[in-house]
Structure formats: C-alpha cells, structure tokens
Amino acid sequence: MAKRPQVIVSGAGPVGLLTALALAKQDVSVLVLEAEAGLTLDLRAGTYHPPSLEMMAPYGITDEMHKTAIRVPRWQIRDKQEGVIVEWDVTLIKDLTPYPYRLHLEQHRLTPIIYAKLKECPNAEVRFGHEVTDFSQTVDGVTVTTKTPGGVEKLEAQWLVGADGGRSTVRKSMGVAFDGYTWPERFVVASTVYDFAPHGYTMNAYVADPVEWSAMFKMPDDGPPGMWRVLWPVPAEEDEAVALSDDSVERHMQNFQPKAGRYPIKYRSMYKVHQRVASQFRAGRALLAGDAAHLNNPIGAFGLNGGIHDAVNLADKLGRICRGEADASLLDLYVRQRRTVNLEYVQEHSIRNLKRLTARTEAERRKNFDELRRAAATADGARNFLLISSMIASVRRANAII
C-alpha cells in the first residue's frame, strides 16, 4: 500500500471493513485503524435484509455468509397472551430480490469474512491497536492522531471515514452533535440451545406485552443445532448484576416460554439502546457511517443493515472522487441520501416497531393488531409491509434523492 493512503477508515467493524473493501476494489488505497487488538466479539446484531445481501454479493461476502448462516423466509409478530398476530412470508417479494428472506449470522462471524477479503487487497491495510484520538484537516487532506503500543503516531490521508461506533471519536472531533435520546430501559439478551420451534415460533419473532415484551432470533452459533437469542427490557432502576443473575434470567426465560427444568444459558449481556442521528454526516474531508452516524433500537434489525447501506453508498462516491471522476460535492449527495433515509425511515420505523410491542392500553394494542392483520389480509398490503420491513423501500427512497 502507498505510504500515504488516500482514505483512512477509523473502526474495523463490519461497516468500516466493508467501506475499506469497497474502496480497495476501486483501486483506492485505504488504511483501517482499529483501537482493539483484534476483531471484536459483538453478540447483538445478526439479521441481514435482502438489499444488504445484494450489496455485499459482488465482493463474495454473501456467498461466504450462506455457508453457515440461517435463512429465515418467515417471521412473526406475536402477542404474549394471544399468540401469533401475523406471520410474514418474505418470499412474496421474490420477484424483487434474489434473497427473499432474512439471513441470520452473528456480526462477529461476518467481520472475519470481510476482513479476509480485505487482506487479499494489496492496496489495503488494517492496523489493530491503533486508537484514533483526534484529527485535523486542511483543504488538501487530513492528519489523524493515533495512540499505538509504540506511542503516538500521526498519519496523513486525503479523506477520513469515521466508522468507529456510537462513541465515535471522529464524530466528536468533527464537533458534530448526536441528536436524539436514550431509551430508559436497558435490554438483556440471553442465548440458549433450547429449541423454540416446537412451540410454534419462527426463527425470528417479536412478542408484544405491556410489561415484558420480547424478541427472539435463531443464530447458527458454532454449528447445529444453533442457538436461540431472547431479548427483553430491564427497568432503569434494576441493578445490572441482579438483572443478569441466574435466577433473574431463568425467571424471564420461563416467562417467555414456560418449560420443565432450567434453561441452558450460553451467553447473557445487557446494553443501553439509543435513537440518535448525527446533525451532519460530513465536515470537509471527514465523513461518518454506521453507528458513528446513527443509532436505533434493534426491533426490525435496521441498524447494522443501515450501516452496510452507508458503506456501499459512501464507497461508491468516494471512490469516484479519489479516481478523479467526480468532485467532492458528490459527497453531499451521500449525506442527503443516507441521513434523510435514516431520519425518515430507520428512526421512524424502528421507534414504531418498539412502541407496537410495548403498547400498554388495550385500545392501543387492539389498534396495532388490527392494522397488522389488515396489512396481512391482502397481497398488496402484505407486499407493502414487506417492502418496508425488508428495507427495500428505504433503498429506493435513498436512490430517488438527487
């Protein structure tokens, strides 16, 4: 790789690595800086929608994912008392995508796939243990300050992409506000090998309840029989150690689906959930993508997918600029497309999805369920719902912005 890369990417998560790969495949030299000593283990995201699979396919990523991932052609919205409210069949939109299903693969199994592809590119490099602490810029380029095991280094490039997560140093150094709020509840996710399929659950299901709503996803884990993740809310005042204790987790799991004997729990974790969008996605030669640019609750699986869409959109435009085929104003189109879609689509629908599960009054619950059943009752209604939930509608919206 050239001594002075054209692009520095901060963050070696899936968004940062995919941005780098998409740039490298366009003959753009790129350096990825990651604060951690290696690829990180993230047990949260793991659902991929059809457009994301289409975007990653040209790089060989999607085919590699399919070797171990789980296809989920049907998924449910349920009520804790009533059972299934609607079951959606993604194959109804098979005329619109070669991937008419949700694909389940843990995020920490996706990043090694992208990383392996990136290592094959002679014009790309990833440096672990390099924490971006600040940057400055001129009209001609950026200077990035990093903390490394050998001391502080300053690295130069033409452009900087911040894909360094919700606590993004790049965003903070840009002086960009992260507008929005944090949900008062924290989310607990527990993983078990117990099979929920005999109880009528599809491999992805959302369960409404005024007190303890939940969501569940089956993941491939290390191999058959796979692993089921169950997610539920924890009040803000509940102590984390108590919430993650064996007794508390067992009580919640039994409340989700009663069974004889205790649940075998493989993993458990707790995290805060945010709804935030950066006030700007660009400041001169610095740009934001993924969680550094926007955060949302996980109901609907829009977060990582939205970051993948950011990466491909940004790399396409930035690659053309680096090759001298377009000027820097093209990046303003990236901002208009991805920020608009995040505000209009990802934020709006992820909030609506969570509120649908948490509705407390009987009138509100009935209204939600009636709307869902009406949508599922006709081919057009089901198709429109699937266009939104699969994120095809959001990609179309972004592409329509000029």
Side-chain angles (χ1 to χ4, degrees), residues 25-349:
K25 290 296 186 179
Q26 298 178 74
D27 297 322
V28 175
S29 58
V30 59
L31 171 63
V32 180
L33 303 175
E34 169 56 49
E36 298 298 325
L39 299 177
T40 57
L41 180 68
D42 191 319
L43 297 175
R44 286 178 286 179
T47 297
Y48 306 91
H49 293 302
S52 303
L53 300 175
E54 292 180 45
M55 291 177 190
M56 293 187 287
Y59 307 104
I61 299 167
T62 301
D63 284 346
E64 195 69 26
M65 293 171 71
H66 275 81
K67 293 179 181 179
T68 52
I70 296 174
R71 300 187 190 199
V72 182
R74 306 179 72 90
W75 59 279
Q76 298 169 337
I77 299 177
R78 305 170 66 107
D79 178 69
K80 195 168 186 300
Q81 303 303 323
E82 298 184 31
V84 178
I85 302 301
V86 288
E87 183 168 304
W88 303 105
D89 181 358
V90 188
T91 64
L92 291 174
I93 55 172
K94 64 183 178 182
D95 59 316
L96 302 177
T97 175
Y99 307 103
Y101 43 82
R102 295 182 170 193
L103 194 71
H104 285 185
L105 183 72
E106 296 94 329
Q107 179 176 316
H108 68 87
R109 300 185 195 281
L110 170 64
T111 46
I113 294 173
I114 307 175
Y115 180 49
K117 303 289 184 186
L118 188 61
K119 287 195 294 184
E120 296 172 358
C121 300
N123 56 343
E125 181 184 355
V126 179
R127 296 183 189 174
F128 294 103
H130 280 61
E131 178 187 358
V132 172
T133 59
D134 198 3
F135 80 93
S136 60
Q137 61 177 305
T138 66
V139 294
D140 298 316
V142 296
T143 300
V144 178
T145 304
T146 65
K147 185 170 67 175
T148 79
V152 174
E153 293 183 19
K154 290 187 180 291
L155 302 166
E156 295 182 347
Q158 295 175 19
W159 300 93
L160 172 63
V161 175
D164 48 347
R167 297 186 178 93
S168 172
T169 297
V170 173
R171 186 189 66 244
K172 293 172 184 175
S173 297
M174 288 166 63
V176 169
F178 208 22
D179 301 325
Y181 60 90
T182 300
W183 292 89
E185 308 90 346
R186 294 155 299 162
F187 290 12
V188 166
V189 59
S191 303
T192 180
V193 295
Y194 181 78
D195 188 7
F196 291 104
H199 298 285
Y201 290 93
T202 49
M203 289 181 287
N204 182 194
Y206 303 97
V207 184
D209 185 76
V211 177
E212 194 170 279
W213 58 268
S214 53
M216 58 98 69
F217 317 82
K218 185 175 184 182
M219 293 292 165
D221 196 28
D222 295 324
M227 179 176 65
W228 296 75
R229 289 184 186 168
V230 181
L231 180 150
W232 62 84
V234 171
E237 65 275 9
E238 186 168 331
D239 181 76
E240 181 173 347
V242 172
L244 293 176
S245 67
D246 290 346
D247 288 346
S248 178
V249 170
E250 179 66 20
R251 178 175 60 81
H252 283 282
M253 294 293 287
Q254 291 287 352
N255 187 43
F256 173 74
Q257 178 59 56
K259 79 175 209 58
R262 294 180 71 87
Y263 274 90
I265 301 298
K266 189 169 183 179
Y267 305 110
R268 71 194 75 184
S269 61
M270 175 186 287
Y271 57 97
K272 292 181 179 180
V273 178
H274 310 273
Q275 298 283 162
R276 297 185 182 276
V277 180
S279 58
Q280 299 290 334
F281 283 17
R282 179 191 177 198
R285 289 181 170 270
L287 300 116
L288 300 175
D291 285 356
H294 47 80
L295 293 171
N296 57 270
N297 79 74
I299 307 304
F302 296 150
L304 175 55
N305 286 272
I308 289 170
H309 302 177
D310 292 346
V312 174
N313 187 310
L314 175 56
D316 171 68
K317 294 173 173 59
L318 191 53
R320 281 189 268 168
I321 293 166
C322 288
R323 294 195 309 274
E325 298 170 3
D327 64 41
S329 65
L330 185 60
L331 294 173
D332 294 331
L333 178 58
Y334 162 74
V335 174
R336 289 197 301 274
Q337 289 177 334
R338 296 307 309 155
R339 190 170 186 276
T340 299
V341 163
N342 203 278
L343 289 169
E344 291 182 357
Y345 177 87
V346 173
Q347 298 297 317
E348 178 182 343
H349 289 285

